[in-house]
Amino acid sequence: MRGKPCSHPSKLLEDHLINTKNIALSIAGHYGLSLSEKEQAALLLHDLGKAHPAFQKRLCRACPDAGSCPQVCRKSPPDQVYTGHAAPSASLAMAYTKDVVLSEAIRRHHGALQDLNEVKAYWVNGTYADRVKELEAIYSWPGAAALELWEQVPRSWLENFPGEDDWYNLCFDLLEMDMPGDDPQAMSKLWIDLRKIYSLLVAADRWDAAVGKEWQTDGLNIEPLRIQGFLETIKDKAQELGRGGLAQWRTAIYDQVLGHAGEKMTAPGLYTLTLPTGAGKTLIGLSTAALAAKRFFGTGIIYVLPFISLVEQNAEVAGQLFGQVQEDHHLAYQDIDELKQYSEDVPRQEFLSFFRYWDAPV
């Protein structure tokens, strides 16, 4: 075993792995999701590949505590080429969990997900020798015991790694023999499972790196008086523009739909709303979502649109109804002057604005 590896400057790797798991659990719990023991184990393994001499050497350049780190963490033998930490972490997760969904989420957690053919090309057709070479360069360290995944931390990550035949059989069975390719419903569930763990992993991983504290959200605050006040404002504006008849028609539809929704939505489920253009579907849809969230103790509202051109308009309405709303499509273009109004730490706030952390209620 070797000395202490870090995940980020001045942050121990085991601390980051544990924090990521706990943050993912918090996000999942907030939205009514659960994480199995295997999923939690995968979260604890997601960055184990950072225990590589070359990666540690790179971290030391920006770390104020570099002088106190063991020298062995910064030595990178010529034959130990660093090609990234996601792939070896994914291999360890595959060997530990025997779950391709979890392993693939780890392998791609710094990039985009791939389609099934690309996934098969990596796991089924990939070279075993490459996986072994990647793991040979990753060192074990005493602090890994804090992950509580092993009775005794392996002295080498190859100790419990499958042999060549077992590895190929494992990958082939998971992606060819056991893959329910002829069952669209089962395949859809696998895809949803992958998206769930991938989203939780990426959000938790980056939250710990960028924020460095427990995940928190303001929560969904539904104020009936606020919604009613917005409705009155719309009516008044319509009257001023000479569109009183249109306003009355929309109000009648609004009241009728919300009344039906109150009767029909007796349990969580899939409900549809069909209305003609101009009837106020945005306002009715968001109000119905608020009704459902309040009735079924929802903790957030996710509003998905088919076109970016619709987002600004719909987000403006949502902002009037709920206050805090996060728009995903335009975050990279957030006004720096606007950020300065809320925080002196503009670089950090700008970084946070680039990514969805599931902490906004709408």
Side-chain angles (χ1 to χ4, degrees):
M1 292 190 182
R2 301 189 182 183
K4 60 173 187 177
C6 292
S7 62
H8 305 85
S10 301
K11 176 172 288 189
L12 293 177
L13 179 54
E14 60 266 31
D15 290 345
H16 171 63
L17 296 173
I18 293 170
N19 290 347
T20 298
K21 184 203 76 170
N22 290 337
I23 292 167
L25 281 170
S26 296
I27 299 174
H30 180 75
Y31 288 100
L33 302 173
S34 61
L35 292 174
S36 67
E37 289 186 7
K38 279 206 307 184
E39 289 173 325
Q40 294 182 50
L43 292 167
L44 289 170
L45 294 168
H46 82 277
D47 267 354
L48 210 68
K50 286 185 174 181
H52 187 293
F55 183 85
Q56 296 304 310
K57 183 177 180 180
R58 183 182 302 173
L59 276 186
C60 284
R61 297 176 184 174
C63 182
D65 301 323
S68 63
C69 288
Q71 289 292 326
V72 71
C73 290
R74 300 200 296 273
K75 292 179 180 178
S76 181
D79 59 334
Q80 293 184 338
V81 178
Y82 180 68
T83 58
H85 62 271
S89 301
S91 295
L92 287 171
M94 176 70 90
Y96 189 94
T97 66
K98 296 178 174 55
D99 189 308
V100 70
V101 166
L102 302 179
S103 306
E104 187 61 14
I106 292 173
R107 186 175 77 90
R108 302 302 303 171
H109 79 277
H110 284 298
L113 290 174
Q114 295 180 325
D115 63 31
L116 185 57
N117 289 331
E118 292 172 305
V119 174
K120 288 182 178 180
Y122 179 83
W123 292 106
V124 178
N125 301 327
T127 305
Y128 177 78
D130 290 340
R131 305 288 83 81
V132 170
K133 187 174 182 180
E134 291 169 346
L135 292 176
E136 283 177 338
I138 309 301
Y139 60 83
S140 179
W141 77 102
L147 306 182
E148 299 182 347
L149 293 176
W150 312 273
E151 291 186 7
Q152 185 174 358
V153 178
R155 296 188 63 82
S156 165
W157 298 118
L158 289 173
E159 278 186 18
N160 300 319
F161 198 71
E164 185 169 1
D165 288 343
D166 290 338
W167 175 257
Y168 282 130
N169 288 338
L170 172 64
C171 295
F172 182 83
D173 288 348
L174 288 173
L175 282 155
E176 296 290 357
M177 302 297 291
D178 301 335
M179 187 64 60
D182 296 330
D183 186 342
Q185 187 172 357
M187 289 297 291
S188 295
K189 184 181 184 306
L190 281 178
W191 178 246
I192 291 173
D193 289 343
L194 174 58
R195 294 293 305 186
K196 180 193 80 169
I197 194 66
Y198 173 78
S199 180
L200 288 170
L201 168 57
V202 174
D205 181 35
R206 297 187 183 185
W207 179 275
D208 184 58
V211 183
K213 61 181 180 181
E214 292 183 4
W215 180 85
Q216 52 191 310
T217 176
D218 292 335
L220 180 62
N221 184 23
I222 298 173
E223 304 176 52
L225 291 179
R226 180 173 186 151
I227 296 175
Q228 188 60 39
F230 182 59
L231 290 172
E232 295 298 330
T233 300
I234 292 177
K235 288 182 185 178
D236 292 341
K237 287 184 178 179
Q239 292 287 354
E240 292 175 5
L241 296 172
R243 299 175 181 173
L246 177 62
Q248 290 179 353
W249 176 66
R250 285 178 171 173
T251 299
I253 292 177
Y254 181 93
D255 292 339
Q256 185 177 10
V257 172
L258 267 291
H260 281 308
E263 296 173 2
K264 299 292 184 181
M265 291 195 304
T266 57
L270 181 64
Y271 298 90
T272 62
L273 171 65
T274 304
L275 289 172
T277 300
K281 289 188 292 295
T282 299
L283 180 58
I284 293 174
L286 288 168
S287 297
T288 304
L291 173 65
K294 187 174 183 180
R295 177 170 293 182
F296 306 127
F297 306 101
T299 52
I301 294 174
I302 300 173
Y303 197 93
V304 183
L305 294 161
F307 304 109
I308 290 179
S309 58
L310 301 174
V311 174
E312 295 289 348
Q313 173 188 341
N314 285 265
E316 183 178 354
V317 174
Q320 293 291 334
L321 297 179
F322 306 112
Q324 186 182 355
V325 175
Q326 178 169 338
E327 301 173 53
D328 284 346
H329 82 286
H330 77 303
L331 292 177
Y333 308 106
Q334 190 161 3
D335 190 344
I336 297 299
D337 292 332
E338 181 182 347
L339 286 175
K340 290 179 180 178
Q341 296 177 16
Y342 299 101
S343 173
E344 296 179 359
D345 189 2
V346 173
R348 175 174 170 275
Q349 291 299 322
E350 186 179 13
F351 176 82
L352 292 177
S353 73
F354 275 83
F355 192 73
R356 152 65 73 183
Y357 292 99
W358 300 107
D359 56 322
V362 180

